[in-house]
Amino acid sequence: MNLSVRHLHLACLAPLVAAAMLAGCADDDTPEAGSSTENIVVPLPAGEFVEAVVINSVRPDGRGLNCTGALVAPRVVLTAGHCVNAIVTDLPFVRWNVFAPNAGGQRSASTRGVSDYVNPDGGVNPDSLDVGAIILDAPIDLPFYPTFATSPEPDGTKIRPVGRVRNGVQTDQIFKGPFPQAVRQSGAFPLAYNTGLTQIQAGDSGGPNVIEGTHHIIAVNSGSTPLDAGVAKPEQIAARVDLFASRLQAIIDENP
């Protein structure tokens, strides 16, 4: 099922900080500890996710933004839109360094990112999709590549979120949530899934959310709902990959 791409800015916001702060978006020179004890890692090593990568998005001044992503083809990395298009700054990202710790430590880099993500005011923009892709200069070869959703998943689908944070500390390794999470449609964020109490932390953004027991990606870590988003408490939201699927497949086809 091919869906028209609608664009959602998801509030990459940590639950216990002001709305202007970013969860999953700490600069390398100002590392940010996680604010939740219910982070997605807890930690459980996730060596089975050979496709999961750690990303450093680099600005012209050399500062960087740590994120997570997933290889969906030898030269294409799926991640969060805010890891591709800079937010809360006028300095765009110009380079991405990618490391695959569970795939023999392979590395690559990129100067090409694709995303329509926008965040003009640093707040929630429910019309912009927090999904993007990075096109690598050289391939990273895997024994297999994950599949990704082309249509929405029903409420209650069990997923595992994946990220690079271990108890609030950003690492160059890959971890997964301790328990499968049940997704549901979020009224406040119609282009995202709400995954309940689990929170992403700085560096987890862009990590894949896979259906439990598979390598099928249905969403990527985006952020936490702000306190005024019409929900009782901050909850993790995951940007829906099916809304980017047609665009993503075209990128894969154009970059073998």
Side-chain angles (χ1 to χ4, degrees):
M1 176 180 179
N2 288 329
L3 302 179
S4 61
V5 178
R6 296 174 60 195
H7 307 298
L8 165 67
H9 164 65
L10 301 178
C12 179
L13 300 176
L16 300 180
V17 298
M21 296 294 289
L22 301 178
C25 306
D27 286 330
D28 281 350
D29 55 357
T30 54
E32 199 175 284
S35 58
S36 170
T37 59
E38 298 177 288
N39 55 315
I40 70 169
V41 291
V42 179
L44 291 177
E48 71 270 32
F49 289 105
V50 293
E51 69 270 31
V53 296
V54 296
I55 301 168
N56 180 232
S57 305
V58 183
R59 299 185 173 103
D61 63 1
R63 291 185 304 137
L65 176 67
N66 287 332
C67 287
T68 308
L71 285 155
V72 291
R75 295 183 58 216
V76 180
V77 174
L78 175 67
T79 189
H82 70 260
C83 298
V84 176
N85 287 351
I87 57 175
V88 193
T89 178
D90 293 329
L91 290 175
F93 299 128
V94 295
R95 187 176 76 255
W96 295 267
N97 297 318
V98 175
F99 173 53
N102 297 333
Q106 295 180 73
R107 295 179 183 271
S108 189
S110 171
T111 56
R112 291 191 293 161
V114 178
S115 180
D116 293 325
Y117 173 85
V118 294
N119 180 20
D121 59 4
V124 178
N125 178 359
D127 296 317
S128 186
L129 180 67
D130 195 9
V131 179
I134 297 167
I135 302 165
L136 299 177
D137 297 338
I140 293 179
D141 295 318
L142 303 181
F144 66 88
Y145 295 89
T147 56
F148 52 87
T150 58
S151 59
E153 296 295 328
D155 288 356
T157 299
K158 296 294 182 65
I159 64 166
R160 289 269 183 176
V162 175
R164 65 184 290 178
V165 177
R166 183 181 188 275
N167 290 343
V169 178
Q170 298 183 41
T171 74
D172 282 339
Q173 298 301 312
I174 296 297
F175 302 93
K176 61 186 176 181
F179 306 107
Q181 300 292 308
V183 304
R184 66 181 186 274
Q185 300 290 328
S186 173
F189 300 93
L191 304 186
Y193 296 120
N194 189 316
T195 60
L197 295 176
T198 296
Q199 305 292 334
I200 71 166
Q201 296 196 26
D204 286 332
S205 286
N209 286 233
V210 299
I211 292 181
E212 175 71 355
T214 76
H215 292 262
H216 183 66
I217 304 171
I218 69 168
V220 296
N221 294 324
S222 177
S224 302
T225 56
L227 296 174
D228 60 353
V231 293
K233 58 183 177 299
E235 296 177 304
Q236 181 184 331
I237 49 180
R240 282 172 46 186
V241 168
D242 61 286
L243 299 178
F244 192 70
S246 296
R247 185 96 175 268
L248 183 59
Q249 187 60 57
I251 293 168
I252 293 171
D253 293 343
E254 292 166 3
N255 297 276

